[in-house]
Amino acid sequence: MSGTPNLVDGRLPAAVTPKRYDVTLSVEPEQGRFCGSIAIQLHVREAVRRVTLHALELEILEATVESGGVHYPAAVSTDPDSETVTLTLTREIPAGPAMVGLTFSGRLNQQMKGLYEAKAGTERYAFTQFEATDARRAFPCFDEPAMKAAFKITAVVPGHLVALSNMDVEAESTDPAVQRKTVTFAETPPMSTYLVALAVAKLESREVLIDGARAAIYTTPGQLALTGFAHEVMQACLPRLNAYFDLRYPLAKLDLVGVPDFAMGAMENWGAIFFRENRLLLDPARASAHTLRAVANVITHEVVHQWFGNLVTMDWWEDLWLNESFATWLACKIVDDWHPEWQSWVEFARDKQVPLGVDALTSTRPISSKVRTAAEAEEMFDALTYEKGASVLRMLEQFLGDDVFRRGIRAYIRAHQYGNAPASDLWAALEAASGQPVPTIARDWFARPGFPLVTVGAAGPDLQTITVEQRRFMADRNAPEDAGPPWAVPLTIAFEDAGGIRRHRVLATERRATIALPAKGTVRWVYANAGEQGFYRTHYDQGLRDALAASVARLSPEERFGLLDNAWALAQKAVLPIGEFLDLVVRFRGDDTRIVIEGLGGYLGVLGERLAAGSDRPHFARFLEDFYRPLVDVLGWDARPREGDEPKLTRAAALWTLGSLAAPASLVHDMTERLERYWADPASLDPTLASAVIRFCARVGDKARYDRYLERYHAAATPEDRERYLAAFGEFAEPGLAPAVLALILSEAIRGQDIWKPLRGLLSNPATQGEAWTFIKANWPALRKKGGSVGAQRIIGGAKALWKAEWLAEVEGFFNEPAHRVASAERTLVQTLETIRLGLAFRRDQQGRFSEWLRGRP
């Protein structure tokens, strides 16, 4: 049967809420199925005849309702569109306690959501991924974050497999006759359905006691030796987080589980965090600096969630940023305290360019946005929720002060532990701690889309007084002017006078303002976003631009990067001629600031692969050789003793950019030679340089090299080794080779979790993007099925590299066809189309000027 429930803005009726679940799941991974029963203790607020809860792709076998000792016959109706099941009773049940009982069955899906199938070799396992709205695929439930309840979970599984859940095992019994065991777990604290976890697999573990909690890391067989670094991260982050919140981790144990097939990077299930293997497992002797940092950040991010998200949970998905922005920001803070030499806040400033790019689109959204459907909830997991929100929190923390900010956070967590809270409660706690108008500031940044461009001018020749004007920054220069009020911008202005480099803080709330700097004598330069801690862009008048360009050595790494990144954004918009941007780039010749070199690789990659006409490529190659050669000669190929990670990362970025865009013969020879030596002896090449070498050698490689890469991919000893070759598959440019790579994507050789990675590479690769797009159109149902909704979303996002008018029309038409649409990727598609249009306009506006600049160089 089907029926339409009475949902309000996509939410269940509030008259009935759960208090406790007793769930039994019988899982048969080899048969790809499960069945179960559930008893839900309810609180009925007012008399009702209908009880509506969530269920999707489940067969409801039996339903009972009981209240006050009376059993009520129930008719079951389902509504796939709203993903609900409704029990309609013959008469009303009164307000007060009640019980719903259901039995059900389902199939283990292969889309990495709900209770799904995961494979390791020939073994078939089952794992859960319930966030955002997929607990309903495993058992009927009130699948909304505010409907917290306790869970008593029992799993019936094959006797040779391990069963893990959020809590410790309370009882376990085995039935030898059927070779199955029953595992009952302790009852959870009140929590949201999306945090429930179950793993059924062959697992090995190593456990240690950390600051009073048992921390165990689980892997599939043969990978336990790769868990040492993850334990180091846990030893560092868990005590620091206990201290930061002044509230200890509340559960007795915290498991970290490596999952063979996992759509996301990790999932913060309370007490049982699940990870994609490449974000948990590594060999420190063979791991790159990138991977060490990524694993540390992801683990810490998920552990932060045990407080922010699990202990205190947002009311609804519109405030998902309360989970993800805080975990992103605080993970960076904790990792920076552990390893300050990693310069985590410098990387944080670099990573801000991603949400700045998205938020400059007309198709952006506020961080806190309306959510009415499951697909809209899934769409919320984007750069705005994570990185923009984290950047704004960083800006707010710097404005209020570290100690004050932490005091407000502690008060908020203590007041709402084991419950739910809206964003307004957080702002109130921070306002109480600081005495500042935090709700007013926060409203500008979290409840409205976009961000300001702060235009800075000098009011006199001594630069002691400046003018600032703010307007919303839009990537499309033809976009209509935003009529909204000005932002409350916490400006931190860096400047240098006779006394050295100083900072001045101002809360700019007007459209235009004049600011007198507390300077001693003439000011040499002004940078209006000190440390790039604010989420806004800056534009300077010619005099201030010249002063900054002449003083780049005096800027912090974040400010050097910000100066370039803001100029690049203005050049893309054609506000700044591309020649002026490149003149600024030349100022950085020989600069070894790592994030500058990494950023330049992206800007110059776009110019070389999207703007440079064929006749201009030799000129561009000469420019690159001239620009990078001094740095490459100083850094060399080999890591120096105790040089640290920064030179390693800079070396990899410089060699990759020079090689991939200019391919000088000597570098091609050296890269190829280094690859052969690396294959013979992995210790011969610094691990941080290995990915650059492998990717570059794919770009100039033939079929024989592709075959060797495929062998190495299959024989990879660590997840990172596998990732190196997976990324390199998208770099091959040899004519006729793309079909082999594309066929590989749909083969058993590449997991569903990974299909988007080489495909996005091929979409960006000028030599293969046409074939890749044709392949996507011809195989979209299979790609969508194998990669799930997350993979499909990322493939659609990868189409933004298709800078041709005919491709733009095809992408728009193809993904808007009902058979091809992905509900959770609708905003991604709109942003992809807008990005292509902006790319075409950028090329139209600046390609001729770029050619003139290249040809005008001496």
Side-chain angles (χ1 to χ4, degrees):
M1 294 177 62
S2 65
T4 302
N6 185 27
L7 301 189
V8 179
D9 281 340
R11 302 178 73 165
L12 294 172
V16 179
T17 55
K19 293 301 177 185
R20 182 181 184 274
Y21 293 84
D22 195 327
V23 186
T24 298
L25 286 169
S26 179
V27 186
E28 300 179 75
E30 286 299 326
Q31 284 72 44
R33 65 185 182 221
F34 64 92
C35 62
S37 63
I38 190 165
I40 311 173
Q41 294 179 12
L42 304 176
H43 172 64
V44 181
R45 300 178 187 222
E46 59 189 50
V48 294
R49 277 194 60 196
R50 298 202 310 175
V51 176
T52 298
L53 61 163
H54 290 105
L56 182 63
E57 297 174 356
L58 297 175
E59 183 181 359
I60 306 300
L61 305 174
E62 185 179 3
T64 60
V65 179
E66 183 269 332
S67 176
V70 177
H71 290 269
Y72 292 75
V76 178
S77 59
T78 61
D79 182 53
D81 290 341
S82 65
E83 304 180 357
T84 59
V85 58
T86 296
L87 311 181
T88 301
L89 313 177
T90 55
R91 63 186 188 278
E92 288 186 338
I93 54 173
M99 177 80 76
V100 164
L102 296 156
T103 60
F104 54 91
S105 65
R107 301 290 304 176
L108 298 177
N109 70 74
Q110 297 177 335
Q111 279 71 58
M112 296 167 286
K113 55 174 58 178
L115 180 58
Y116 69 91
E117 175 186 283
K119 294 180 181 178
T122 58
E123 298 278 356
R124 297 171 71 181
Y125 304 140
F127 290 90
T128 56
Q129 170 57 36
F130 288 166
E131 192 178 31
T133 60
D134 290 311
R136 63 193 67 174
R137 295 176 187 267
F139 51 85
C141 56
F142 295 81
D143 201 9
E144 296 180 1
M147 291 195 175
K148 284 190 168 183
F151 287 82
K152 182 73 172 180
I153 297 172
T154 299
V156 183
V157 303
H160 67 290
L161 299 181
V162 172
L164 284 179
S165 189
N166 306 83
M167 305 298 286
D168 280 318
V169 173
E170 191 174 74
E172 183 172 321
S173 61
T174 301
D175 185 346
V178 293
Q179 297 183 327
R180 292 179 68 77
K181 62 184 177 183
T182 300
V183 183
T184 300
F185 300 94
E187 187 166 313
T188 72
M191 67 180 194
S192 304
T193 49
Y194 78 88
L195 295 169
V196 174
L198 180 66
V200 181
K202 280 186 181 177
L203 296 169
E204 301 173 342
S205 67
R206 177 181 164 222
E207 182 179 285
V208 296
L209 187 67
I210 302 175
D211 210 19
R214 289 178 289 105
I217 301 179
Y218 286 82
T219 76
T220 52
Q223 300 193 90
L224 207 54
L226 303 178
T227 62
F229 182 71
H231 275 293
E232 288 182 34
V233 177
M234 289 297 294
Q235 293 278 7
C237 76
L238 190 55
R240 283 174 169 84
L241 288 168
N242 281 334
Y244 186 87
F245 290 111
D246 193 28
L247 190 66
R248 299 181 70 81
Y249 171 72
L251 304 186
K253 62 97 172 175
L254 180 53
D255 298 331
L256 281 64
V257 185
V259 180
D261 288 299
F262 202 70
M264 309 300 287
M267 176 59 210
E268 66 268 20
N269 312 307
W270 210 356
I273 305 171
F274 289 178
F275 292 82
R276 185 182 282 236
E277 290 177 335
N278 71 337
R279 288 298 173 257
L280 180 68
L281 309 176
L282 59 81
D283 176 359
R286 298 176 62 175
S288 67
H290 286 296
T291 291
L292 289 166
R293 294 166 190 224
V295 168
N297 276 295
V298 170
I299 290 174
T300 307
H301 178 111
E302 303 307 324
V303 178
V304 171
H305 276 312
Q306 306 304 299
W307 287 266
F308 245 108
N310 299 7
L311 185 62
V312 180
T313 311
M314 74 274 172
D315 274 336
W316 186 242
W317 297 109
E318 63 198 16
D319 279 336
L320 175 64
W321 68 268
L322 278 169
N323 291 9
E324 302 302 346
S325 300
F326 265 93
T328 302
W329 162 76
L330 188 51
C332 188
K333 192 176 186 72
I334 295 298
V335 171
D336 183 66
D337 185 68
W338 177 38
H339 271 296
E341 75 282 4
W342 283 1
Q343 300 186 28
S344 294
W345 288 120
V346 176
E347 290 191 347
F348 187 90
R350 176 204 63 195
D351 295 343
K352 188 176 66 172
Q353 68 176 303
V354 176
L356 282 170
V358 174
D359 213 24
L361 301 175
T362 58
S363 53
T364 189
R365 62 169 179 84
I367 296 173
S368 180
S369 298
K370 193 74 175 175
V371 172
R372 297 179 181 85
T373 67
E376 288 176 354
E378 187 173 338
E379 278 192 305
M380 293 293 285
F381 292 81
D382 64 4
L384 300 175
T385 292
Y386 286 75
E387 287 88 357
K388 179 184 178 180
S391 296
V392 175
L393 290 173
R394 165 79 164 159
M395 179 173 68
L396 193 57
E397 181 208 29
Q398 294 303 298
F399 178 69
L400 299 178
D402 290 16
D403 291 342
V404 168
F405 197 79
R406 181 172 61 247
R407 192 160 61 245
I409 294 300
R410 287 175 172 178
Y412 168 81
I413 291 290
R414 284 192 177 278
H416 301 287
Q417 57 185 314
Y418 299 106
N420 298 81
S424 58
D425 288 346
L426 174 63
W427 304 139
L430 290 171
E431 184 175 43
S434 67
Q436 295 287 347
V438 176
T440 300
I441 299 171
R443 183 175 59 247
D444 283 350
W445 296 95
F446 287 90
R448 62 188 286 195
F451 60 89
L453 171 70
V454 177
T455 301
V456 188
D462 61 4
L463 309 188
Q464 286 189 353
T465 301
I466 61 173
T467 61
V468 296
E469 180 178 352
Q470 58 161 296
R471 287 275 190 279
R472 181 175 174 183
F473 180 83
M474 305 288 286
D476 183 355
R477 73 173 190 269
N478 297 316
E481 183 78 14
D482 184 75
W487 277 260
V489 184
L491 287 176
T492 303
I493 303 165
F495 63 94
E496 185 174 13
D497 61 10
I501 298 174
R502 306 171 66 189
R503 290 188 174 188
H504 180 56
R505 296 182 188 276
V506 178
L507 183 62
T509 58
E510 302 297 326
R511 182 79 64 194
R512 299 175 187 82
T514 300
I515 300 171
L517 300 174
K520 300 175 182 177
T522 299
V523 173
R524 298 187 179 97
W525 54 265
V526 175
Y527 193 86
N529 191 0
E532 278 295 316
Q533 291 175 355
F535 194 80
Y536 52 89
R537 290 202 179 277
T538 52
H539 183 35
Y540 302 89
D541 67 19
Q542 190 63 54
L544 290 174
R545 282 210 303 275
D546 291 344
L548 282 168
S551 306
V552 290
R554 302 291 293 161
L555 304 181
S556 71
E558 300 97 318
E559 291 160 358
R560 295 182 199 187
F561 171 79
L563 182 63
L564 276 168
D565 196 57
N566 285 311
W568 173 247
L570 293 166
Q572 287 182 297
K573 190 176 177 177
V575 170
L576 192 71
I578 196 67
E580 287 193 37
F581 168 74
L582 289 165
D583 288 341
L584 178 62
V585 168
V586 170
R587 294 272 191 171
F588 287 86
R589 185 174 184 267
D591 192 302
D592 64 354
T593 306
R594 192 253 296 188
I595 62 167
V596 167
I597 301 305
E598 291 175 339
L600 283 169
Y603 314 142
L604 296 173
V606 171
L607 293 176
E609 295 182 345
R610 303 284 182 258
L611 259 68
S615 59
D616 288 327
R617 294 189 187 280
H619 300 284
F620 186 57
R622 283 195 294 273
F623 161 65
L624 291 170
E625 179 80 18
D626 177 69
F627 182 83
Y628 280 101
R629 184 51 61 186
L631 179 61
V632 167
D633 287 346
V634 168
L635 291 172
W637 275 94
D638 299 311
R640 295 170 176 81
R642 296 179 298 279
E643 73 173 0
D645 285 346
E646 291 302 296
K648 291 181 174 68
L649 291 160
T650 305
R651 180 182 297 114
L655 287 169
W656 163 252
T657 304
L658 178 59
S660 63
L661 297 178
S666 60
L667 189 57
V668 174
H669 175 271
D670 290 345
M671 286 273 200
T672 304
E673 185 180 79
R674 293 273 172 171
L675 178 66
E676 294 293 340
R677 286 166 53 187
Y678 173 71
W679 280 345
D681 176 17
S684 68
L685 187 65
D686 175 43
T688 300
L689 192 53
S691 289
V693 170
I694 291 169
R695 287 180 64 202
F696 174 78
C697 289
R699 186 162 283 206
V700 296
D702 57 10
K703 177 65 164 58
R705 183 169 294 163
Y706 167 74
D707 290 339
R708 295 178 73 183
Y709 273 36
L710 195 53
E711 291 172 7
R712 297 280 171 173
Y713 169 76
H714 286 300
T718 68
E720 185 179 15
D721 286 341
R722 225 169 10 253
E723 290 287 317
R724 287 177 173 133
Y725 292 101
L726 194 63
F729 290 143
E731 298 291 345
F732 280 95
E734 175 84 4
L737 195 50
V741 182
L742 291 165
L744 181 71
I745 289 170
L746 284 177
S747 75
E748 288 289 323
I750 292 185
R751 294 184 178 278
Q753 66 176 16
D754 293 326
I755 65 168
W756 60 272
K757 294 180 179 179
L759 197 47
R760 280 179 68 130
L762 294 166
L763 282 168
S764 297
N765 186 336
T768 59
Q769 56 186 175
E771 289 177 277
W773 172 232
T774 299
F775 174 83
I776 289 169
K777 290 185 292 181
N779 295 278
W780 184 240
L783 289 167
R784 187 172 172 179
K785 180 179 179 181
K786 183 173 181 180
S789 60
V790 173
Q793 185 182 63
R794 289 175 177 171
I795 292 168
I796 292 170
K800 67 185 177 184
L802 299 175
W803 285 19
K804 283 187 179 180
E806 57 267 35
W807 285 341
L808 170 63
E810 289 179 11
V811 171
E812 183 169 22
F814 183 81
F815 288 119
N816 275 319
E817 289 183 20
H820 302 148
R821 294 186 75 148
V822 178
S824 59
E826 289 194 4
R827 186 180 294 114
T828 300
L829 175 59
V830 173
Q831 292 176 348
T832 293
L833 297 171
E834 185 176 355
T835 301
I836 298 172
R837 292 187 185 100
L838 290 170
L840 293 172
F842 176 45
R843 184 161 59 202
R844 183 173 59 250
D845 292 336
Q846 298 279 32
Q847 187 174 46
R849 295 173 180 175
F850 179 46
S851 178
E852 290 173 11
W853 188 88
L854 287 173
R855 292 171 184 270
R857 293 185 70 248

